[in-house]
Amino acid sequence: MTVIGFHCSHEQIAPARLLRDVQHAEQAGFTAAMSSDHLSPWSTRQGESGFAWSFLGAALATTSLPFGVVTAPGQRYHPAITAQAIATLSSMFPGRFWAALGSGEASNERVTGDVWPRKDVRDARLRECVDVIRRLLAGEEVSHDGLVTVNRGRLWTLPDEVPPLIGPAVTPATAARHADWADGIVTTNQPLDTLHQVLGAYRDAGGRGAARLQIHLSWAPTQDEATAIAHDQWRSNVFPPPVCWDAEHIDHFDVLAEKVRPEDVAEVVNVSSDLGWHTARLQEYVDAGWDELYLHFVGQEQQRFVDAFGEHVLPQLEPTAPAPATTGVPAVEREEAGR
């Protein structure tokens, strides 16, 4: 049995409307949700970028869905601030929140004006941030001097149990690297062979927890419309690393995307007007061992997609609610943390 979630794309949809969309998705039968966390969209055509953490509080309060967020501590966010945000949401909504911690993209993180480090340095910085965040969530007072600096940080509001910290990975190498710290893995749709390698690398390295897959898709009543939606909204997102990591501004992505063809977009977005075709693709991901699927319709108007998939696709897959999003590790009591 597989969780079928709704992806909240802040780069494309204004937060008030996105809140209505995820509420509608719950009514239609989606059983979870996940959220992006961007300062900038990928294209002027997308044109939005609400603050994910404000949205998450509202979404958790007005639905019963569990939520995850993909975020990047270390530059735009100090890890103590990320830890505080995670702790507060997990305290308010026990068992309903997880956070995937990545090394970020320049288009979001360079806003601070700091140097954009090499990928190996960003990976090392992420690992320091993970350790800091885990220690803070465990109730410790943390001081740390390294690629990030923390001076006597402590969280005074702690959840009863530490929520899962998830490793986002696109490549097998990154998946294996996350295995020793992550409580689960999340990635985006790629060819099945590549996904098999990513998940296999994570498990072979000892990775534990749920395997989550974000699936970019485009559906409309006609194939031409489904293709046009995908090409309009997602052609700036076809570039693999390091381009997507290192391009610094929305203008760069729009220039890069000028000659991207619809068939190029179809390499990274599941595009079809056939709901049966989409159902079959999702079933393939389920059969490949992915525990939770998060559907990202790449268009900006979500209602028609939610209604169609709620009526014709989700019943075929029989989605279930996820297990409570906790690691089972209790956060220490305040009295113990202060000793």
Side-chain angles (χ1 to χ4, degrees), residues 43-56:
S43 168
T44 55
R45 294 180 307 280
Q46 294 175 348
E48 294 288 345
S49 209
F51 186 54
W53 297 93
S54 299
F55 169 86
L56 284 163

Side-chain angles (χ1 to χ4, degrees), residues 31-333:
T31 57
M34 68 176 285
S35 169
S36 60
D37 178 12
H38 279 243
L39 184 73
S40 171
W42 301 96
S43 168
T44 55
R45 294 180 307 280
Q46 294 175 348
E48 294 288 345
S49 209
F51 186 54
W53 297 93
S54 299
F55 169 86
L56 284 163
L60 283 158
T62 59
T63 73
S64 62
L65 298 174
F67 271 79
V69 66
V70 182
T71 190
Q75 189 154 334
R76 181 167 47 117
Y77 296 130
H78 189 280
I81 300 303
T82 299
Q84 185 183 31
I86 292 170
T88 297
L89 288 178
S90 300
S91 177
M92 294 176 69
F93 307 102
R96 291 179 55 202
F97 183 68
W98 53 267
L101 306 177
S103 58
E105 299 102 2
S107 60
N108 297 305
E109 312 310 320
R110 279 281 284 133
V111 67
T112 63
D114 293 335
V115 170
W116 182 236
R118 299 186 312 272
K119 183 62 166 70
D120 62 313
V121 177
R122 300 199 305 272
D123 288 342
R125 181 175 66 182
L126 172 62
R127 186 53 189 266
E128 289 186 19
C129 288
V130 169
D131 290 343
V132 166
I133 290 168
R134 281 206 182 279
R135 292 175 63 193
L136 288 168
L137 290 173
E140 295 183 34
E141 180 179 283
V142 177
S143 294
H144 177 84
D145 295 292
L147 294 169
V148 293
T149 301
V150 185
N151 179 48
R152 301 191 66 183
R154 179 180 170 188
L155 299 181
W156 291 85
T157 296
L158 292 169
D160 291 335
E161 292 187 353
V162 176
L165 302 181
I166 308 303
V170 176
T171 67
T174 301
R177 190 163 55 246
H178 288 337
D180 69 339
W181 67 261
D183 301 310
I185 187 173
V186 63
T187 190
T188 58
N189 59 290
Q190 302 181 71
L192 285 173
D193 286 348
T194 304
L195 289 175
H196 177 74
Q197 294 171 28
V198 170
L199 184 54
Y202 180 72
R203 297 298 189 206
D204 291 346
R208 62 192 183 277
R212 297 173 172 90
L213 178 62
Q214 179 189 2
I215 299 159
H216 306 302
L217 64 90
S218 184
W219 170 83
T222 69
Q223 187 66 28
D224 286 347
E225 185 181 0
T227 298
I229 289 170
H231 186 246
D232 176 69
Q233 282 293 295
W234 215 244
R235 66 177 180 266
S236 299
N237 297 69
V238 303
F239 307 106
V243 174
C244 59
W245 294 337
D246 293 340
E248 289 194 2
H249 195 269
I250 189 171
D251 294 345
H252 300 168
F253 284 101
D254 280 337
V255 169
L256 287 166
E258 285 178 354
K259 296 184 179 180
V260 172
R261 304 167 301 172
E263 52 265 39
D264 299 323
V265 180
E267 295 293 320
V268 299
V269 178
N270 290 348
V271 181
S272 180
S273 61
D274 184 346
L275 291 168
W277 184 92
H278 283 287
T279 303
R281 298 293 78 71
L282 296 178
Q283 186 63 56
E284 288 180 344
Y285 299 131
V286 173
D287 294 341
W290 296 93
D291 303 302
E292 302 183 14
L293 308 182
Y294 291 86
L295 309 190
H296 172 209
F297 171 60
V298 299
Q300 292 180 306
E301 299 295 334
Q302 299 285 311
Q303 182 170 345
R304 187 173 60 173
F305 151 73
V306 168
D307 289 339
F309 273 62
E311 181 176 357
H312 299 288
V313 176
L314 299 188
Q316 306 301 314
L317 301 170
E318 299 181 335
T320 60
T326 65
T327 60
V329 178
V332 298
E333 297 296 332

